[in-house]
PDB file of all heavy atoms in Angstrom:
ATOM      1  N   GLU A   1       0.825  -1.199   0.000  1.00 51.00           N
ATOM      2  CA  GLU A   1       0.000   0.000   0.000  1.00 51.00           C
ATOM      3  C   GLU A   1       0.859   1.248   0.000  1.00 51.00           C
ATOM      4  O   GLU A   1       0.534   2.238  -0.648  1.00 51.00           O
ATOM      5  CB  GLU A   1      -0.937  -0.007   1.202  1.00 51.00           C
ATOM      6  CG  GLU A   1      -2.066  -1.017   1.079  1.00 51.00           C
ATOM      7  CD  GLU A   1      -3.019  -0.946   2.253  1.00 51.00           C
ATOM      8  OE1 GLU A   1      -2.767  -0.157   3.173  1.00 51.00           O
ATOM      9  OE2 GLU A   1      -4.005  -1.686   2.229  1.00 51.00           O
ATOM     10  N   ARG A   2       1.976   1.228   0.723  1.00 43.00           N
ATOM     11  CA  ARG A   2       2.871   2.380   0.718  1.00 43.00           C
ATOM     12  C   ARG A   2       3.497   2.550  -0.667  1.00 43.00           C
ATOM     13  O   ARG A   2       3.626   3.661  -1.169  1.00 43.00           O
ATOM     14  CB  ARG A   2       3.949   2.222   1.787  1.00 43.00           C
ATOM     15  CG  ARG A   2       3.414   2.301   3.212  1.00 43.00           C
ATOM     16  CD  ARG A   2       4.500   2.669   4.199  1.00 43.00           C
ATOM     17  NE  ARG A   2       5.555   1.661   4.263  1.00 43.00           N
ATOM     18  CZ  ARG A   2       5.539   0.624   5.066  1.00 43.00           C
ATOM     19  NH1 ARG A   2       4.509   0.425   5.876  1.00 43.00           N
ATOM     20  NH2 ARG A   2       6.535  -0.233   5.080  1.00 43.00           N
ATOM     21  N   ASP A   3       3.867   1.454  -1.282  1.00 50.00           N
ATOM     22  CA  ASP A   3       4.469   1.525  -2.613  1.00 50.00           C
ATOM     23  C   ASP A   3       3.501   2.090  -3.635  1.00 50.00           C
ATOM     24  O   ASP A   3       3.896   2.787  -4.568  1.00 50.00           O
ATOM     25  CB  ASP A   3       4.941   0.129  -3.057  1.00 50.00           C
ATOM     26  CG  ASP A   3       6.156  -0.344  -2.262  1.00 50.00           C
ATOM     27  OD1 ASP A   3       6.793   0.519  -1.618  1.00 50.00           O
ATOM     28  OD2 ASP A   3       6.440  -1.546  -2.273  1.00 50.00           O
ATOM     29  N   ASP A   4       2.205   1.775  -3.473  1.00 55.00           N
ATOM     30  CA  ASP A   4       1.216   2.241  -4.430  1.00 55.00           C
ATOM     31  C   ASP A   4       1.085   3.757  -4.437  1.00 55.00           C
ATOM     32  O   ASP A   4       0.550   4.345  -5.373  1.00 55.00           O
ATOM     33  CB  ASP A   4      -0.157   1.615  -4.126  1.00 55.00           C
ATOM     34  CG  ASP A   4      -0.212   0.145  -4.516  1.00 55.00           C
ATOM     35  OD1 ASP A   4       0.688  -0.282  -5.266  1.00 55.00           O
ATOM     36  OD2 ASP A   4      -1.133  -0.553  -4.065  1.00 55.00           O
ATOM     37  N   LEU A   5       1.546   4.415  -3.364  1.00 76.00           N
ATOM     38  CA  LEU A   5       1.466   5.862  -3.287  1.00 76.00           C
ATOM     39  C   LEU A   5       2.583   6.547  -4.067  1.00 76.00           C
ATOM     40  O   LEU A   5       2.555   7.759  -4.245  1.00 76.00           O
ATOM     41  CB  LEU A   5       1.510   6.313  -1.822  1.00 76.00           C
ATOM     42  CG  LEU A   5       0.347   5.830  -0.951  1.00 76.00           C
ATOM     43  CD1 LEU A   5       0.531   6.309   0.480  1.00 76.00           C
ATOM     44  CD2 LEU A   5      -0.984   6.328  -1.500  1.00 76.00           C
ATOM     45  N   VAL A   6       3.583   5.815  -4.494  1.00 90.00           N
ATOM     46  CA  VAL A   6       4.699   6.390  -5.247  1.00 90.00           C
ATOM     47  C   VAL A   6       4.280   6.560  -6.704  1.00 90.00           C
ATOM     48  O   VAL A   6       3.932   5.586  -7.377  1.00 90.00           O
ATOM     49  CB  VAL A   6       5.947   5.489  -5.145  1.00 90.00           C
ATOM     50  CG1 VAL A   6       7.080   6.069  -5.979  1.00 90.00           C
ATOM     51  CG2 VAL A   6       6.365   5.337  -3.693  1.00 90.00           C
ATOM     52  N   LYS A   7       4.309   7.781  -7.200  1.00 95.00           N
ATOM     53  CA  LYS A   7       3.871   8.053  -8.566  1.00 95.00           C
ATOM     54  C   LYS A   7       4.954   7.672  -9.563  1.00 95.00           C
ATOM     55  O   LYS A   7       6.143   7.834  -9.310  1.00 95.00           O
ATOM     56  CB  LYS A   7       3.541   9.539  -8.720  1.00 95.00           C
ATOM     57  CG  LYS A   7       2.377  10.010  -7.895  1.00 95.00           C
ATOM     58  CD  LYS A   7       2.138  11.499  -8.106  1.00 95.00           C
ATOM     59  CE  LYS A   7       1.002  12.003  -7.249  1.00 95.00           C
ATOM     60  NZ  LYS A   7       0.807  13.473  -7.408  1.00 95.00           N
ATOM     61  N   THR A   8       4.517   7.191 -10.718  1.00 97.00           N
ATOM     62  CA  THR A   8       5.453   6.989 -11.818  1.00 97.00           C
ATOM     63  C   THR A   8       5.799   8.343 -12.429  1.00 97.00           C
ATOM     64  O   THR A   8       5.107   9.349 -12.218  1.00 97.00           O
ATOM     65  CB  THR A   8       4.841   6.089 -12.895  1.00 97.00           C
ATOM     66  OG1 THR A   8       3.731   6.778 -13.507  1.00 97.00           O
ATOM     67  CG2 THR A   8       4.360   4.769 -12.305  1.00 97.00           C
ATOM     68  N   GLU A   9       6.862   8.367 -13.213  1.00 97.00           N
ATOM     69  CA  GLU A   9       7.241   9.617 -13.888  1.00 97.00           C
ATOM     70  C   GLU A   9       6.144  10.060 -14.859  1.00 97.00           C
ATOM     71  O   GLU A   9       5.885  11.256 -15.017  1.00 97.00           O
ATOM     72  CB  GLU A   9       8.572   9.439 -14.619  1.00 97.00           C
ATOM     73  CG  GLU A   9       9.741   9.138 -13.696  1.00 97.00           C
ATOM     74  CD  GLU A   9       9.950  10.208 -12.639  1.00 97.00           C
ATOM     75  OE1 GLU A   9       9.980  11.400 -12.995  1.00 97.00           O
ATOM     76  OE2 GLU A   9      10.071   9.843 -11.449  1.00 97.00           O
ATOM     77  N   LYS A  10       5.481   9.097 -15.483  1.00 98.00           N
ATOM     78  CA  LYS A  10       4.385   9.435 -16.391  1.00 98.00           C
ATOM     79  C   LYS A  10       3.237  10.086 -15.634  1.00 98.00           C
ATOM     80  O   LYS A  10       2.638  11.077 -16.110  1.00 98.00           O
ATOM     81  CB  LYS A  10       3.908   8.188 -17.133  1.00 98.00           C
ATOM     82  CG  LYS A  10       2.824   8.446 -18.164  1.00 98.00           C
ATOM     83  CD  LYS A  10       2.543   7.192 -18.964  1.00 98.00           C
ATOM     84  CE  LYS A  10       1.495   7.430 -20.034  1.00 98.00           C
ATOM     85  NZ  LYS A  10       1.291   6.215 -20.886  1.00 98.00           N
ATOM     86  N   GLU A  11       2.898   9.537 -14.473  1.00 97.00           N
ATOM     87  CA  GLU A  11       1.831  10.126 -13.664  1.00 97.00           C
ATOM     88  C   GLU A  11       2.185  11.546 -13.243  1.00 97.00           C
ATOM     89  O   GLU A  11       1.337  12.452 -13.271  1.00 97.00           O
ATOM     90  CB  GLU A  11       1.560   9.253 -12.441  1.00 97.00           C
ATOM     91  CG  GLU A  11       0.866   7.940 -12.778  1.00 97.00           C
ATOM     92  CD  GLU A  11       0.816   6.983 -11.601  1.00 97.00           C
ATOM     93  OE1 GLU A  11       1.677   7.085 -10.694  1.00 97.00           O
ATOM     94  OE2 GLU A  11      -0.081   6.124 -11.596  1.00 97.00           O
ATOM     95  N   LYS A  12       3.440  11.756 -12.859  1.00 97.00           N
ATOM     96  CA  LYS A  12       3.883  13.107 -12.503  1.00 97.00           C
ATOM     97  C   LYS A  12       3.736  14.052 -13.692  1.00 97.00           C
ATOM     98  O   LYS A  12       3.266  15.187 -13.553  1.00 97.00           O
ATOM     99  CB  LYS A  12       5.340  13.084 -12.034  1.00 97.00           C
ATOM    100  CG  LYS A  12       5.588  12.332 -10.746  1.00 97.00           C
ATOM    101  CD  LYS A  12       7.085  12.310 -10.458  1.00 97.00           C
ATOM    102  CE  LYS A  12       7.435  11.412  -9.298  1.00 97.00           C
ATOM    103  NZ  LYS A  12       8.911  11.338  -9.081  1.00 97.00           N
ATOM    104  N   MET A  13       4.155  13.601 -14.857  1.00 98.00           N
ATOM    105  CA  MET A  13       4.066  14.421 -16.061  1.00 98.00           C
ATOM    106  C   MET A  13       2.626  14.824 -16.340  1.00 98.00           C
ATOM    107  O   MET A  13       2.328  16.013 -16.570  1.00 98.00           O
ATOM    108  CB  MET A  13       4.633  13.663 -17.261  1.00 98.00           C
ATOM    109  CG  MET A  13       4.572  14.434 -18.570  1.00 98.00           C
ATOM    110  SD  MET A  13       5.068  13.447 -20.013  1.00 98.00           S
ATOM    111  CE  MET A  13       3.553  12.512 -20.297  1.00 98.00           C
ATOM    112  N   LEU A  14       1.722  13.856 -16.311  1.00 97.00           N
ATOM    113  CA  LEU A  14       0.329  14.119 -16.645  1.00 97.00           C
ATOM    114  C   LEU A  14      -0.331  15.050 -15.633  1.00 97.00           C
ATOM    115  O   LEU A  14      -1.288  15.754 -15.968  1.00 97.00           O
ATOM    116  CB  LEU A  14      -0.446  12.808 -16.729  1.00 97.00           C
ATOM    117  CG  LEU A  14      -0.014  11.856 -17.851  1.00 97.00           C
ATOM    118  CD1 LEU A  14      -0.774  10.543 -17.761  1.00 97.00           C
ATOM    119  CD2 LEU A  14      -0.211  12.492 -19.219  1.00 97.00           C
ATOM    120  N   GLN A  15       0.181  15.070 -14.412  1.00 97.00           N
ATOM    121  CA  GLN A  15      -0.390  15.908 -13.365  1.00 97.00           C
ATOM    122  C   GLN A  15       0.317  17.254 -13.226  1.00 97.00           C
ATOM    123  O   GLN A  15       0.045  18.009 -12.297  1.00 97.00           O
ATOM    124  CB  GLN A  15      -0.371  15.140 -12.034  1.00 97.00           C
ATOM    125  CG  GLN A  15      -1.284  13.929 -12.041  1.00 97.00           C
ATOM    126  CD  GLN A  15      -1.120  13.039 -10.820  1.00 97.00           C
ATOM    127  OE1 GLN A  15      -0.613  13.473  -9.789  1.00 97.00           O
ATOM    128  NE2 GLN A  15      -1.542  11.788 -10.941  1.00 97.00           N
ATOM    129  N   GLY A  16       1.218  17.553 -14.159  1.00 97.00           N
ATOM    130  CA  GLY A  16       1.886  18.844 -14.153  1.00 97.00           C
ATOM    131  C   GLY A  16       2.964  18.999 -13.100  1.00 97.00           C
ATOM    132  O   GLY A  16       3.352  20.124 -12.763  1.00 97.00           O
ATOM    133  N   GLU A  17       3.481  17.883 -12.592  1.00 97.00           N
ATOM    134  CA  GLU A  17       4.534  17.928 -11.583  1.00 97.00           C
ATOM    135  C   GLU A  17       5.903  17.756 -12.244  1.00 97.00           C
ATOM    136  O   GLU A  17       6.002  17.334 -13.397  1.00 97.00           O
ATOM    137  CB  GLU A  17       4.303  16.824 -10.547  1.00 97.00           C
ATOM    138  CG  GLU A  17       2.975  16.934  -9.825  1.00 97.00           C
ATOM    139  CD  GLU A  17       2.704  15.747  -8.918  1.00 97.00           C
ATOM    140  OE1 GLU A  17       3.624  14.906  -8.750  1.00 97.00           O
ATOM    141  OE2 GLU A  17       1.588  15.654  -8.379  1.00 97.00           O
ATOM    142  N   LEU A  18       6.951  18.074 -11.501  1.00 97.00           N
ATOM    143  CA  LEU A  18       8.301  17.826 -12.002  1.00 97.00           C
ATOM    144  C   LEU A  18       8.486  16.328 -12.251  1.00 97.00           C
ATOM    145  O   LEU A  18       8.093  15.507 -11.430  1.00 97.00           O
ATOM    146  CB  LEU A  18       9.331  18.323 -10.998  1.00 97.00           C
ATOM    147  CG  LEU A  18       9.434  19.843 -10.843  1.00 97.00           C
ATOM    148  CD1 LEU A  18      10.299  20.187  -9.631  1.00 97.00           C
ATOM    149  CD2 LEU A  18      10.002  20.492 -12.104  1.00 97.00           C
ATOM    150  N   TYR A  19       9.101  16.003 -13.390  1.00 97.00           N
ATOM    151  CA  TYR A  19       9.291  14.596 -13.749  1.00 97.00           C
ATOM    152  C   TYR A  19      10.565  14.447 -14.570  1.00 97.00           C
ATOM    153  O   TYR A  19      11.132  15.428 -15.065  1.00 97.00           O
ATOM    154  CB  TYR A  19       8.086  14.079 -14.541  1.00 97.00           C
ATOM    155  CG  TYR A  19       8.012  14.615 -15.951  1.00 97.00           C
ATOM    156  CD1 TYR A  19       8.514  13.878 -17.027  1.00 97.00           C
ATOM    157  CD2 TYR A  19       7.485  15.878 -16.225  1.00 97.00           C
ATOM    158  CE1 TYR A  19       8.473  14.377 -18.320  1.00 97.00           C
ATOM    159  CE2 TYR A  19       7.435  16.380 -17.498  1.00 97.00           C
ATOM    160  CZ  TYR A  19       7.935  15.632 -18.553  1.00 97.00           C
ATOM    161  OH  TYR A  19       7.906  16.136 -19.828  1.00 97.00           O
ATOM    162  N   ASP A  20      10.987  13.206 -14.715  1.00 97.00           N
ATOM    163  CA  ASP A  20      12.191  12.877 -15.474  1.00 97.00           C
ATOM    164  C   ASP A  20      11.793  12.401 -16.873  1.00 97.00           C
ATOM    165  O   ASP A  20      11.265  11.302 -17.019  1.00 97.00           O
ATOM    166  CB  ASP A  20      12.977  11.785 -14.747  1.00 97.00           C
ATOM    167  CG  ASP A  20      14.208  11.332 -15.518  1.00 97.00           C
ATOM    168  OD1 ASP A  20      14.569  11.979 -16.531  1.00 97.00           O
ATOM    169  OD2 ASP A  20      14.817  10.328 -15.102  1.00 97.00           O
ATOM    170  N   PRO A  21      12.053  13.204 -17.924  1.00 97.00           N
ATOM    171  CA  PRO A  21      11.664  12.782 -19.273  1.00 97.00           C
ATOM    172  C   PRO A  21      12.484  11.615 -19.810  1.00 97.00           C
ATOM    173  O   PRO A  21      12.108  11.019 -20.817  1.00 97.00           O
ATOM    174  CB  PRO A  21      11.884  14.041 -20.108  1.00 97.00           C
ATOM    175  CG  PRO A  21      12.935  14.804 -19.367  1.00 97.00           C
ATOM    176  CD  PRO A  21      12.676  14.540 -17.915  1.00 97.00           C
ATOM    177  N   GLY A  22      13.581  11.282 -19.128  1.00 97.00           N
ATOM    178  CA  GLY A  22      14.377  10.129 -19.536  1.00 97.00           C
ATOM    179  C   GLY A  22      13.876   8.811 -19.005  1.00 97.00           C
ATOM    180  O   GLY A  22      14.486   7.762 -19.257  1.00 97.00           O
ATOM    181  N   ASP A  23      12.755   8.837 -18.301  1.00 98.00           N
ATOM    182  CA  ASP A  23      12.157   7.606 -17.778  1.00 98.00           C
ATOM    183  C   ASP A  23      11.884   6.625 -18.920  1.00 98.00           C
ATOM    184  O   ASP A  23      11.386   7.013 -19.983  1.00 98.00           O
ATOM    185  CB  ASP A  23      10.855   7.966 -17.064  1.00 98.00           C
ATOM    186  CG  ASP A  23      10.088   6.755 -16.610  1.00 98.00           C
ATOM    187  OD1 ASP A  23      10.518   6.119 -15.633  1.00 98.00           O
ATOM    188  OD2 ASP A  23       9.056   6.434 -17.235  1.00 98.00           O
ATOM    189  N   PRO A  24      12.197   5.336 -18.737  1.00 98.00           N
ATOM    190  CA  PRO A  24      12.034   4.372 -19.841  1.00 98.00           C
ATOM    191  C   PRO A  24      10.618   4.297 -20.403  1.00 98.00           C
ATOM    192  O   PRO A  24      10.435   4.150 -21.618  1.00 98.00           O
ATOM    193  CB  PRO A  24      12.448   3.040 -19.199  1.00 98.00           C
ATOM    194  CG  PRO A  24      13.403   3.436 -18.118  1.00 98.00           C
ATOM    195  CD  PRO A  24      12.892   4.731 -17.578  1.00 98.00           C
ATOM    196  N   GLU A  25       9.603   4.389 -19.543  1.00 98.00           N
ATOM    197  CA  GLU A  25       8.228   4.339 -20.037  1.00 98.00           C
ATOM    198  C   GLU A  25       7.936   5.519 -20.957  1.00 98.00           C
ATOM    199  O   GLU A  25       7.326   5.351 -22.027  1.00 98.00           O
ATOM    200  CB  GLU A  25       7.247   4.336 -18.873  1.00 98.00           C
ATOM    201  CG  GLU A  25       5.785   4.267 -19.309  1.00 98.00           C
ATOM    202  CD  GLU A  25       4.807   4.310 -18.164  1.00 98.00           C
ATOM    203  OE1 GLU A  25       5.200   4.716 -17.040  1.00 98.00           O
ATOM    204  OE2 GLU A  25       3.626   3.940 -18.366  1.00 98.00           O
ATOM    205  N   LEU A  26       8.391   6.705 -20.581  1.00 98.00           N
ATOM    206  CA  LEU A  26       8.162   7.883 -21.413  1.00 98.00           C
ATOM    207  C   LEU A  26       8.972   7.821 -22.699  1.00 98.00           C
ATOM    208  O   LEU A  26       8.495   8.239 -23.760  1.00 98.00           O
ATOM    209  CB  LEU A  26       8.484   9.151 -20.622  1.00 98.00           C
ATOM    210  CG  LEU A  26       7.543   9.429 -19.437  1.00 98.00           C
ATOM    211  CD1 LEU A  26       8.025  10.652 -18.651  1.00 98.00           C
ATOM    212  CD2 LEU A  26       6.118   9.629 -19.922  1.00 98.00           C
ATOM    213  N   CYS A  27      10.192   7.314 -22.612  1.00 98.00           N
ATOM    214  CA  CYS A  27      10.996   7.148 -23.831  1.00 98.00           C
ATOM    215  C   CYS A  27      10.300   6.216 -24.811  1.00 98.00           C
ATOM    216  O   CYS A  27      10.260   6.481 -26.022  1.00 98.00           O
ATOM    217  CB  CYS A  27      12.383   6.614 -23.479  1.00 98.00           C
ATOM    218  SG  CYS A  27      13.441   7.789 -22.613  1.00 98.00           S
ATOM    219  N   ALA A  28       9.735   5.132 -24.304  1.00 98.00           N
ATOM    220  CA  ALA A  28       9.013   4.189 -25.170  1.00 98.00           C
ATOM    221  C   ALA A  28       7.784   4.842 -25.782  1.00 98.00           C
ATOM    222  O   ALA A  28       7.466   4.619 -26.960  1.00 98.00           O
ATOM    223  CB  ALA A  28       8.628   2.948 -24.377  1.00 98.00           C
ATOM    224  N   ASP A  29       7.083   5.662 -24.992  1.00 98.00           N
ATOM    225  CA  ASP A  29       5.914   6.358 -25.527  1.00 98.00           C
ATOM    226  C   ASP A  29       6.299   7.312 -26.653  1.00 98.00           C
ATOM    227  O   ASP A  29       5.570   7.453 -27.646  1.00 98.00           O
ATOM    228  CB  ASP A  29       5.221   7.151 -24.414  1.00 98.00           C
ATOM    229  CG  ASP A  29       4.431   6.266 -23.457  1.00 98.00           C
ATOM    230  OD1 ASP A  29       4.301   5.056 -23.734  1.00 98.00           O
ATOM    231  OD2 ASP A  29       3.940   6.798 -22.444  1.00 98.00           O
ATOM    232  N   ARG A  30       7.440   7.971 -26.529  1.00 98.00           N
ATOM    233  CA  ARG A  30       7.880   8.898 -27.581  1.00 98.00           C
ATOM    234  C   ARG A  30       8.291   8.144 -28.841  1.00 98.00           C
ATOM    235  O   ARG A  30       8.085   8.634 -29.962  1.00 98.00           O
ATOM    236  CB  ARG A  30       9.014   9.788 -27.076  1.00 98.00           C
ATOM    237  CG  ARG A  30       8.558  10.784 -26.009  1.00 98.00           C
ATOM    238  CD  ARG A  30       9.569  11.893 -25.804  1.00 98.00           C
ATOM    239  NE  ARG A  30      10.843  11.397 -25.311  1.00 98.00           N
ATOM    240  CZ  ARG A  30      11.125  11.205 -24.021  1.00 98.00           C
ATOM    241  NH1 ARG A  30      10.214  11.460 -23.098  1.00 98.00           N
ATOM    242  NH2 ARG A  30      12.317  10.771 -23.650  1.00 98.00           N
ATOM    243  N   VAL A  31       8.852   6.968 -28.676  1.00 98.00           N
ATOM    244  CA  VAL A  31       9.163   6.147 -29.852  1.00 98.00           C
ATOM    245  C   VAL A  31       7.873   5.781 -30.587  1.00 98.00           C
ATOM    246  O   VAL A  31       7.792   5.863 -31.824  1.00 98.00           O
ATOM    247  CB  VAL A  31       9.935   4.876 -29.441  1.00 98.00           C
ATOM    248  CG1 VAL A  31      10.012   3.894 -30.604  1.00 98.00           C
ATOM    249  CG2 VAL A  31      11.335   5.243 -28.969  1.00 98.00           C
ATOM    250  N   THR A  32       6.844   5.401 -29.837  1.00 98.00           N
ATOM    251  CA  THR A  32       5.546   5.089 -30.444  1.00 98.00           C
ATOM    252  C   THR A  32       5.005   6.305 -31.192  1.00 98.00           C
ATOM    253  O   THR A  32       4.490   6.184 -32.323  1.00 98.00           O
ATOM    254  CB  THR A  32       4.548   4.641 -29.375  1.00 98.00           C
ATOM    255  OG1 THR A  32       5.040   3.444 -28.739  1.00 98.00           O
ATOM    256  CG2 THR A  32       3.178   4.365 -29.972  1.00 98.00           C
ATOM    257  N   ALA A  33       5.117   7.474 -30.584  1.00 98.00           N
ATOM    258  CA  ALA A  33       4.640   8.700 -31.235  1.00 98.00           C
ATOM    259  C   ALA A  33       5.427   8.996 -32.506  1.00 98.00           C
ATOM    260  O   ALA A  33       4.859   9.431 -33.519  1.00 98.00           O
ATOM    261  CB  ALA A  33       4.742   9.872 -30.265  1.00 98.00           C
ATOM    262  N   GLN A  34       6.721   8.751 -32.473  1.00 98.00           N
ATOM    263  CA  GLN A  34       7.542   9.000 -33.667  1.00 98.00           C
ATOM    264  C   GLN A  34       7.188   8.042 -34.801  1.00 98.00           C
ATOM    265  O   GLN A  34       7.186   8.434 -35.976  1.00 98.00           O
ATOM    266  CB  GLN A  34       9.020   8.904 -33.293  1.00 98.00           C
ATOM    267  CG  GLN A  34       9.474  10.066 -32.418  1.00 98.00           C
ATOM    268  CD  GLN A  34      10.782   9.814 -31.704  1.00 98.00           C
ATOM    269  OE1 GLN A  34      11.524   8.886 -32.038  1.00 98.00           O
ATOM    270  NE2 GLN A  34      11.059  10.626 -30.687  1.00 98.00           N
ATOM    271  N   ARG A  35       6.850   6.821 -34.459  1.00 98.00           N
ATOM    272  CA  ARG A  35       6.406   5.880 -35.500  1.00 98.00           C
ATOM    273  C   ARG A  35       5.080   6.339 -36.106  1.00 98.00           C
ATOM    274  O   ARG A  35       4.870   6.234 -37.319  1.00 98.00           O
ATOM    275  CB  ARG A  35       6.260   4.487 -34.909  1.00 98.00           C
ATOM    276  CG  ARG A  35       7.603   3.830 -34.577  1.00 98.00           C
ATOM    277  CD  ARG A  35       7.414   2.534 -33.819  1.00 98.00           C
ATOM    278  NE  ARG A  35       8.695   1.881 -33.547  1.00 98.00           N
ATOM    279  CZ  ARG A  35       8.890   0.985 -32.591  1.00 98.00           C
ATOM    280  NH1 ARG A  35       7.869   0.627 -31.814  1.00 98.00           N
ATOM    281  NH2 ARG A  35      10.077   0.455 -32.411  1.00 98.00           N
ATOM    282  N   PHE A  36       4.186   6.850 -35.246  1.00 98.00           N
ATOM    283  CA  PHE A  36       2.920   7.402 -35.740  1.00 98.00           C
ATOM    284  C   PHE A  36       3.181   8.574 -36.681  1.00 98.00           C
ATOM    285  O   PHE A  36       2.596   8.651 -37.771  1.00 98.00           O
ATOM    286  CB  PHE A  36       2.057   7.849 -34.566  1.00 98.00           C
ATOM    287  CG  PHE A  36       1.058   8.914 -34.917  1.00 98.00           C
ATOM    288  CD1 PHE A  36      -0.022   8.630 -35.741  1.00 98.00           C
ATOM    289  CD2 PHE A  36       1.202  10.203 -34.423  1.00 98.00           C
ATOM    290  CE1 PHE A  36      -0.935   9.617 -36.078  1.00 98.00           C
ATOM    291  CE2 PHE A  36       0.288  11.193 -34.752  1.00 98.00           C
ATOM    292  CZ  PHE A  36      -0.785  10.901 -35.581  1.00 98.00           C
TER     293      PHE A  36
END
């Protein structure tokens, strides 16, 4: 339950908080966008 409170970098980004754009999930999302 404590771990569930830790936001992912993507969640931080979507909520307008400081985040790390080098996060692997976000990097993968940008690759998908570039293919589109």
Side-chain angles (χ1 to χ4, degrees):
E1 288 183 357
R2 292 202 297 271
D3 289 344
D4 286 345
L5 297 178
V6 178
K7 295 179 182 177
T8 66
E9 297 302 311
K10 183 173 182 176
E11 288 170 335
K12 294 176 188 177
M13 179 187 80
L14 295 175
Q15 294 171 20
E17 300 174 7
L18 290 169
Y19 73 96
D20 177 10
D23 174 74
E25 181 182 17
L26 293 175
C27 290
D29 285 353
R30 291 196 297 274
V31 169
T32 299
Q34 290 163 15
R35 289 172 178 159
F36 155 69

